[in-house]
Amino acid sequence: MKSVLVLYYSHGGHTARIARRIWETVIAEGNQADLMSVMEADREGLDWNKYELVIIGCPVIYGKFNRQLVAFVNRYKAILDAKATSFFSVSLVARTPAKCTPEGNVYTRKFLENNPWKPKDAHLFAGKVDYPNWGWLDTKAIQMIMKMTKGPVEPTAIIDYTDWEDVKEYARHCLTIQA
Ligand SMILES: Cc1cc2nc3c(=O)[nH]c(=O)nc-3n(C[C@H](O)[C@H](O)[C@H](O)COP(=O)(O)O)c2cc1C
């Protein structure tokens, strides 16, 4: 039995749902696990000694990973380096197979190359288009990206590109990562 922390940032709730599915799968596999947003972890603190495996997820928002999450993982780099770790990113460009690998996805590749904290493992998930629930400006900006990459542009589009079976498979895979 492993003790696992699933830590995430989510702008609109989709990465939170992926993190929750990972957490549920880890528990279903007979492990102990906690699920926490980076905001909660940052404010309340956490007992790192409890965890052998830390899984960290973040969406790509305007080409970047959340600043608070990045600062948090770098602040605790020494602790994380002593544990089994995995990082998953969520983005719309990852809906195409070529951009769904750490090498093919420029945001994730740059993060893995340049960030001081380096996870032992990385994975990508395609995210969700949710125009009706996004603000006017965000919708316009993503519609522009979608137009350039032949994605959906209808203002009513809500499309979940995440492969939920892969989310479960990823959770099980994370349990095999060594510190
Ligand atoms: C404001 C905004 C900016 C985004 N920027 C990008 C981007 O630069 N590249 C990309 O591939 N996806 C982008 N996305 C898509 C998100 O990564 C995707 O919708 C993801 O599922 C969001 O997860 P969340 O609901 O946890 O925030 C953006 C979405 C929003 C709302």
Side-chain angles (χ1 to χ4, degrees):
M1 189 184 93
K2 285 203 170 164
S3 183
V4 181
L5 173 66
V6 183
L7 187 75
Y8 67 91
Y9 167 80
S10 185
H11 181 78
H14 194 69
T15 308
R17 269 191 298 280
I18 295 175
R20 198 177 319 128
R21 182 66 58 88
I22 293 167
W23 172 71
E24 287 166 354
T25 307
V26 164
I27 291 171
E29 293 288 315
N31 302 279
Q32 189 278 325
D34 290 335
L35 175 68
M36 214 184 269
S37 77
V38 71
M39 253 175 249
E40 182 188 355
D42 212 358
R43 280 192 202 150
E44 307 296 326
L46 56 85
D47 181 4
W48 289 108
N49 291 327
K50 268 173 75 181
Y51 307 111
E52 301 161 73
L53 165 65
V54 184
I55 303 169
I56 299 172
C58 194
V60 173
I61 301 292
Y62 292 133
K64 293 201 163 37
F65 293 113
N66 175 259
R67 220 192 296 168
Q68 187 176 13
L69 182 132
V70 172
F72 188 82
V73 296
N74 289 332
R75 191 176 337 133
Y76 293 107
K77 173 180 158 40
I79 290 172
L80 287 167
D81 282 348
K83 297 182 188 293
T85 54
S86 183
F87 175 74
F88 68 90
S89 75
V90 181
S91 63
L92 282 174
V93 292
R95 75 190 188 286
T96 61
K99 292 187 174 160
C100 202
T101 64
E103 302 76 33
N105 185 293
V106 67
Y107 314 122
T108 309
R109 192 183 66 229
K110 279 190 182 164
F111 175 76
L112 294 172
E113 280 171 5
N114 301 330
N115 193 63
W117 169 65
K118 303 221 185 294
K120 300 202 165 72
D121 175 81
H123 197 79
L124 282 84
F125 294 110
K128 188 181 181 184
V129 166
D130 196 357
Y131 296 134
N133 288 305
W134 291 343
W136 183 86
L137 202 62
D138 289 342
T139 296
K140 288 285 165 216
I142 307 306
Q143 278 173 321
M144 237 163 66
I145 300 174
M146 287 298 112
K147 202 171 176 183
M148 289 188 300
T149 58
K150 296 187 170 57
V153 291
E154 311 77 50
T156 52
I158 300 179
I159 305 169
D160 181 355
Y161 288 102
T162 305
D163 177 344
W164 291 95
E165 279 308 308
D166 187 44
V167 173
K168 288 200 249 174
E169 206 172 295
Y170 167 68
R172 289 190 283 267
H173 157 77
C174 284
L175 293 165
T176 69
I177 300 167
Q178 299 299 311

